[in-house]
Every structure is written in C-alpha cells, then in structure tokens.
Amino acid sequence: TSDLRSSFEKFGKIKDVYIPLDFYTKDSRGFGYVEFYDREDAEDAYDRRRDIMVRGDPVTIEFARGQRKS
C-alpha cells in the first residue's frame, strides 16, 4: 500500500488505500483503491493519470462504481 500511497499523495490528502487480496493465496489481485478526502484531488489524479507510475509501471485509473465491501 505504501507504493500506491506514495504515487498518489502528490494529488492531495488520502483517506484510504486498499489492495484486495486473493482469498486463497493472499496475493494481490492486481488492482487497488485510493480514496481521497476531496473529490477534486481524485479528479486531478484522473486528469494526470498518464503521469502516474507504481513500481515503474503505468496504472489504469477508473472511478469506483459503488462502495467498498467489508
């Protein structure tokens, strides 16, 4: 989560970072969620998505379509 957080915190204050894990292997499922306190910060990250890298790899950004499952 620290890699994901550090890649996005330049856009604004982050409320939560969540990386879902595979139920059986406990490995990352290959995607994660970054929640900002302010929507404008999330929109800024989205607008500059081509500039964002995590561990040297480009990321794909989409706005979540629902609430996080608990």
Side-chain angles (χ1 to χ4, degrees), residues 6-63:
S6 65
S7 295
F8 281 87
E9 64 189 357
K10 60 186 161 206
F11 299 104
K13 190 173 179 185
I14 294 175
K15 185 175 184 179
D16 187 34
V17 174
Y18 172 64
I19 299 175
L21 302 179
D22 180 270
F23 182 78
Y24 298 103
T25 66
K26 305 300 182 211
D27 291 332
S28 167
R29 294 176 57 197
F31 61 94
Y33 297 93
V34 177
E35 182 179 3
F36 289 92
Y37 280 99
D38 295 317
R39 181 174 179 87
E40 294 82 17
D41 295 336
E43 290 171 349
D44 187 29
Y46 183 82
D47 291 342
R48 297 184 49 207
R49 63 191 174 275
R50 289 176 184 82
D51 302 331
I52 302 172
M53 306 286 269
V54 175
R55 294 185 182 177
D57 293 319
V59 297
T60 301
I61 298 177
E62 297 180 21
F63 280 96

